[in-house]
Amino acid sequence: MLPRLTTTPAATTVFTMVLTQGPVSRVEIAKRTGLSSAAVTKAARPFIEEGYLQELEATERTAPGAGRPASPLAIKPEREFFIGVKITNDELIGVVTDLRAQPLASSHRPLATTDVESVVAELAELVAGLLATDPSYGARCHALGLAVSGDVDKAHGLVRYSPFLGWRQVPLARLAAAATGLTVTVENDVKALTVAEQWFGDGVGASSFALVTVGVGIGCGLVVNGRVVAGAHGVAGEIGHIPVGGEEPECHCGGRGCVEAIAGTAPLVAAVRAASAADADDAVAGQVVTTIETALAAAHAGDPAVREVFARAGHAIGLAMAAMANLFGPERIIVTGDVPGLVAYDLFEEQINRSFTAQAFGAAADCRLLLRPRTFEQWARGAAAVAIQTLFTL
């Protein structure tokens, strides 16, 4: 079971600041948070006593020419280890991280089926293998984070609906905890990646930002006033299901004209196959486009009909991003996704920027767009980052 720390709001504030922005002195923490120096010292004490924080050698004074040198507080990253696993429809990707979500070991395990019982059994094997890579992991790893696409009820560890896995109402946290003996947190994969960006990535220091993912689906994580937006029912930021294409095409969600139905991997491949076949003397050329990799090859070969497919995808994504920016005005938008999806980014980057700028209202168009490729190991790291949060929220 994950060690419990007696935390207060002040303690959580202090520890999170050191975790995400440290090393940082007590004086600086007090300045940034508005807490008194005494409150900062009191808040940090239990974390120091339990070995989560350490005082570094004094490097600066509290004021120029006066006062004693300040001793920065820093995380002891190997005090606790965490496992994060990204679950896809054909494999498990797992990582072991330290307290700062830095990956220390990783492993992939193929899935022959998405049957829940089989996936949980493979998950247990993956976790056991990761823990066995270093003796200290087993002794100081108590938490497992799982990242799953779809509608996830984090509070109850329930996967309500995952279209790519074909799951409905799966009590994944309970099943995984029974199989691994760890404290388990389950989160939507995009929200998990958003947490990693907020605490350890390009979102550090931003009070509001968005993360847009391009790949099998089109997802979005939102941070507003320093908090990940979950929504009243655990569903928020689903820009993949903003209708931008009129009545066509039909989406797997039951709606029509959704961004995901235009720019998701499967629709892109299908549209490229149709475009390349129509552009050829016969259907042979179109038949070879069966994967996102072959679709990308056709586009990079210069086929104008195929490139138009990617431009349409970029237009759809740009419109959805503009709608989201108009609604809550983020400081920045981080665009990421799985590797094949981001290899395609050069094919629709110009159209994304053009459509976003044209549709964004007023100063919303000044929002910075950052391209940050992320491997599936980094998505797994996002699951570990959510597990790290259990230090405060369980």
Side-chain angles (χ1 to χ4, degrees):
M1 180 177 292
L2 185 67
R4 292 294 302 277
L5 294 171
T6 301
T7 59
T8 63
T12 298
T13 297
V14 169
F15 184 76
T16 303
M17 178 167 288
V18 179
L19 178 66
T20 60
Q21 301 178 42
V24 60
S25 70
R26 289 178 174 84
V27 173
E28 186 63 24
I29 293 172
K31 184 187 303 182
R32 296 185 198 178
T33 63
L35 296 170
S36 68
S37 296
V40 171
T41 297
K42 180 180 179 180
R45 185 177 300 121
F47 292 102
I48 294 173
E49 292 173 349
E50 292 296 326
Y52 288 92
L53 294 181
Q54 60 183 324
E55 291 184 285
L56 301 181
E57 184 177 348
T59 57
E60 60 183 59
R61 295 184 179 276
T62 56
R68 67 179 186 178
S71 298
L73 293 174
I75 291 292
K76 295 181 73 173
E78 296 188 356
R79 169 60 177 83
E80 190 78 28
F81 299 106
F82 299 83
I83 292 181
V85 178
K86 159 75 169 169
I87 302 176
T88 75
N89 64 336
D90 59 7
E91 71 173 336
L92 303 175
I93 304 95
V95 296
V96 178
T97 79
D98 61 20
L99 193 50
R100 291 183 61 86
Q102 292 303 306
L104 305 172
S106 65
S107 181
H108 289 233
R109 195 170 184 91
L111 295 175
T113 173
T114 57
D115 172 75
V116 174
E117 184 176 342
S118 296
V119 171
V120 172
E122 294 292 347
L123 175 65
E125 292 291 333
L126 177 74
V127 169
L130 285 169
L131 291 176
T133 57
D134 189 296
S136 61
Y137 296 162
R140 298 202 299 276
C141 181
H142 304 87
L144 166 65
L146 302 177
V148 183
S149 66
D151 181 1
V152 175
D153 180 350
K154 178 187 173 187
H156 297 95
L158 180 71
V159 179
R160 288 187 289 224
Y161 174 51
S162 179
F164 303 116
L165 292 170
W167 290 359
R168 290 185 182 273
Q169 303 301 318
V170 174
L172 186 58
R174 176 173 61 79
L175 296 174
T180 65
L182 300 176
T183 298
V184 178
T185 304
V186 183
E187 180 59 287
N188 167 269
D189 56 353
V190 176
K191 288 188 176 67
L193 193 58
T194 303
V195 169
E197 292 294 337
Q198 180 189 23
W199 281 27
F200 307 109
D202 287 302
V204 172
S207 63
S208 298
F209 72 91
L211 175 83
V212 174
T213 60
V214 179
V216 174
I218 308 298
C220 180
L222 305 175
V223 171
V224 178
N225 295 328
R227 299 180 67 87
V228 177
V229 178
H233 305 288
V235 179
E238 289 289 346
I239 69 167
H241 299 287
I242 293 177
V244 296
E247 288 299 306
E248 297 295 339
E250 185 175 2
C251 183
H252 64 80
C253 73
R256 289 185 173 275
C258 295
V259 177
E260 196 164 289
I262 298 169
T265 297
L268 264 176
V269 171
V272 168
R273 183 164 56 246
S276 57
D279 202 39
D281 293 333
D282 53 44
V284 174
Q287 296 300 316
V288 301
V289 179
T290 58
T291 65
I292 186 62
E293 288 79 10
T294 52
L296 290 169
H300 284 126
D303 187 324
V306 172
R307 294 185 73 89
E308 179 59 29
V309 171
F310 283 93
R312 184 185 180 211
H315 177 63
I317 296 169
L319 291 181
M321 287 168 52
M324 176 263 297
N326 289 342
L327 284 171
F328 86 100
E331 296 175 38
R332 66 198 69 157
I333 299 175
I334 304 163
V335 183
T336 187
D338 54 51
V339 174
L342 282 180
V343 169
Y345 194 80
D346 69 296
L347 296 171
F348 47 56
E349 178 179 13
E350 181 180 351
Q351 189 60 59
I352 285 179
N353 283 298
R354 184 184 300 124
S355 298
F356 175 81
T357 301
Q359 196 68 24
F361 177 73
D366 296 330
C367 174
R368 292 177 61 207
L369 305 184
L370 305 175
L371 173 63
R372 295 293 185 266
R374 296 289 184 254
T375 65
F376 272 142
E377 282 81 6
Q378 288 164 312
W379 286 69
R381 175 182 181 247
V386 174
I388 291 170
Q389 290 184 322
T390 60
L391 283 172
F392 314 114
T393 57
L394 286 183

